[in-house]
Amino acid sequence: MIASEPKIGGHLSIRDGYAGAARTAILLGAGAFQYFPKNPRSLTVKAFDRQDAARCRKLCEDHDIQSVAHTPYPSNLAVDQKAAREQFARTVASLRNDLEIAEACGSLGIVVHFGTYKAGNPLQGYQNIIQCINEVLSGWSGRAKLIIENQAGDHGDMGTTLEELVQIRKLCDSRERIGFCLDTCHAFASGMWTGGQDHAFAAKAADLGFWEGLSVIHLNDSKYPARSRKDRHARVGEGFIGEEGFRQLLQMEEVQGIPFIFESEKDAAGTYREDMEKVRRWVEA
Ligand SMILES: [Zn+2]
């Protein structure tokens, strides 16, 4: 059973505020969008405009649009609380700030990359991630989730397997407040998923209980072949995953109702309209 209208859209600018991003999504006929809650290159906590956020929330409710926030790039869940005390505190404060903004905007949650740790034993890196997530979610009673995204492998092995995502979620204090973001480019680049003919992927994801945590899909094609470990997004159907790969993914029962977000170049008109139409066609056919 395939839902007729997938929730789909791209990453949008908050140049005109959170409500401005929501208005753009409405204008484009999108069913979903992603935004940076604040400057994507900094962990500085933002004193955000609550009225603007409330307007965003209302617009999205009225137009049945799902939004999701993407945390700034320096957010690293694997930061060590002991070795980098100050950076850990900054990271936690920033993520908590992102959660508050996402909550006020009525968003599903905040997408954060799995994390990188190069200082030594990877087990310490995983412990750091759990510690950081527990700290961020401690006392958090909002509906917005912390959504962990799989990585391409361009900065090391960490966060490139289904097992890691599932285990981290399991080992954290409040599992129900944690979701997954499946980035198709990253999954393809890391070899987690090798495209259309990869039937083992879905079965493994089901065995591990990955699907029950899935919150968002970043629908990006890949400019490089499977297992290349290169994080280079292409527009859907224009990379090595290709139309067939996406068609198969979109047909899967487990992804129905999950918002799809493009993080790729826009079309000539500066919108995601062409790609949204493409995906809608693939889902129907
Ligand atoms: Zn992504």
Side-chain angles (χ1 to χ4, degrees), residues 3 16 39 60 63 95 101 105 129 138 156 161 168 208 216 222 234 239 245 285:
D16 298 316
N39 179 352
C60 290
H63 291 82
L95 289 168
I101 294 172
C105 289
I129 292 172
S138 158
T161 64
I168 290 290
L208 291 169
V216 187
S222 172

Side-chain angles (χ1 to χ4, degrees), residues 74-176:
S75 311
N76 182 9
L77 294 174
V79 61
D80 198 299
Q81 185 174 21
K82 289 195 196 82
R85 188 174 289 276
E86 214 172 298
Q87 189 64 5
F88 181 86
R90 266 171 69 74
T91 303
V92 168
S94 172
L95 289 168
R96 193 59 185 245
N97 178 226
D98 294 337
L99 268 179
E100 278 158 14
I101 294 172
E103 184 76 15
C105 289
S107 306
L108 277 177
I110 59 166
V111 172
V112 55
H113 296 165
F114 189 89
T116 55
Y117 183 76
K118 289 174 181 162
N121 190 340
L123 287 179
Q124 182 63 51
Y126 295 129
Q127 275 174 13
N128 293 350
I129 292 172
I130 293 165
Q131 195 162 31
C132 184
I133 293 176
N134 285 344
E135 191 78 17
V136 171
L137 294 178
S138 158
W140 175 248
S141 57
R143 286 168 61 188
K145 291 182 176 180
L146 187 146
I147 302 171
I148 310 168
E149 176 172 354
N150 65 304
Q151 297 182 147
D154 51 337
H155 296 290
D157 292 338
M158 202 170 251
T160 57
T161 64
L162 288 168
E163 285 87 345
E164 290 167 281
L165 295 164
V166 169
Q167 282 303 328
I168 290 290
R169 181 169 181 258
K170 249 184 211 162
L171 293 170
C172 285
D173 291 338
S174 40
R175 191 187 302 194
E176 70 286 353

Side-chain angles (χ1 to χ4, degrees), residues 255-277:
V255 309
Q256 306 311 314
I258 300 287
F260 302 119
I261 304 288
F262 302 122
E263 297 177 309
S264 44
E265 290 146 34
K266 295 172 184 167
D267 50 40
T271 73
Y272 296 100
R273 265 202 186 107
E274 282 179 12
D275 291 345
M276 289 196 288
E277 279 162 23

Side-chain angles (χ1 to χ4, degrees), residues 13-250:
S13 163
I14 57 158
R15 194 175 41 233
D16 298 316
Y18 306 118
R23 277 191 291 271
T24 304
I26 295 165
L27 222 63
L28 294 177
F33 72 93
Q34 179 175 274
Y35 62 95
F36 288 123
K38 55 184 187 246
N39 179 352
R41 272 169 277 281
S42 162
L43 295 179
T44 304
V45 167
K46 176 173 170 176
F48 64 101
D49 182 343
R50 290 197 172 266
Q51 285 187 337
D52 174 34
R55 279 194 295 273
C56 172
R57 182 186 198 116
K58 178 82 168 63
L59 285 167
C60 290
E61 279 170 7
D62 290 350
H63 291 82
D64 196 21
I65 293 171
Q66 288 202 316
S67 69
V68 65
H70 193 297
T71 60
Y73 295 117
S75 311
N76 182 9
L77 294 174
V79 61
D80 198 299
Q81 185 174 21
K82 289 195 196 82
R85 188 174 289 276
E86 214 172 298
Q87 189 64 5
F88 181 86
R90 266 171 69 74
T91 303
V92 168
S94 172
L95 289 168
R96 193 59 185 245
N97 178 226
D98 294 337
L99 268 179
E100 278 158 14
I101 294 172
E103 184 76 15
C105 289
S107 306
L108 277 177
I110 59 166
V111 172
V112 55
H113 296 165
F114 189 89
T116 55
Y117 183 76
K118 289 174 181 162
N121 190 340
L123 287 179
Q124 182 63 51
Y126 295 129
Q127 275 174 13
N128 293 350
I129 292 172
I130 293 165
Q131 195 162 31
C132 184
I133 293 176
N134 285 344
E135 191 78 17
V136 171
L137 294 178
S138 158
W140 175 248
S141 57
R143 286 168 61 188
K145 291 182 176 180
L146 187 146
I147 302 171
I148 310 168
E149 176 172 354
N150 65 304
Q151 297 182 147
D154 51 337
H155 296 290
D157 292 338
M158 202 170 251
T160 57
T161 64
L162 288 168
E163 285 87 345
E164 290 167 281
L165 295 164
V166 169
Q167 282 303 328
I168 290 290
R169 181 169 181 258
K170 249 184 211 162
L171 293 170
C172 285
D173 291 338
S174 40
R175 191 187 302 194
E176 70 286 353
R177 299 192 195 286
I178 300 169
F180 299 130
C181 170
L182 176 69
D183 186 306
T184 53
C185 170
H186 299 176
F188 190 73
S190 69
M192 176 195 275
W193 171 60
T194 52
Q197 299 309 312
D198 189 350
H199 301 296
F201 169 76
K204 185 178 180 184
D207 279 352
L208 291 169
F210 175 77
W211 299 122
E212 63 202 47
L214 185 65
S215 300
V216 187
I217 292 184
H218 282 169
L219 208 63
N220 302 314
D221 209 327
S222 172
K223 290 192 177 173
Y224 288 89
R227 301 192 184 86
S228 65
R229 291 188 169 240
K230 288 204 165 67
D231 185 4
R232 294 290 305 280
H233 301 180
R235 289 174 62 185
V236 281
E238 295 187 358
F240 280 84
I241 296 173
E243 178 175 338
E244 258 323 292
F246 286 109
R247 274 186 188 271
Q248 292 222 9
L249 181 81
L250 293 164

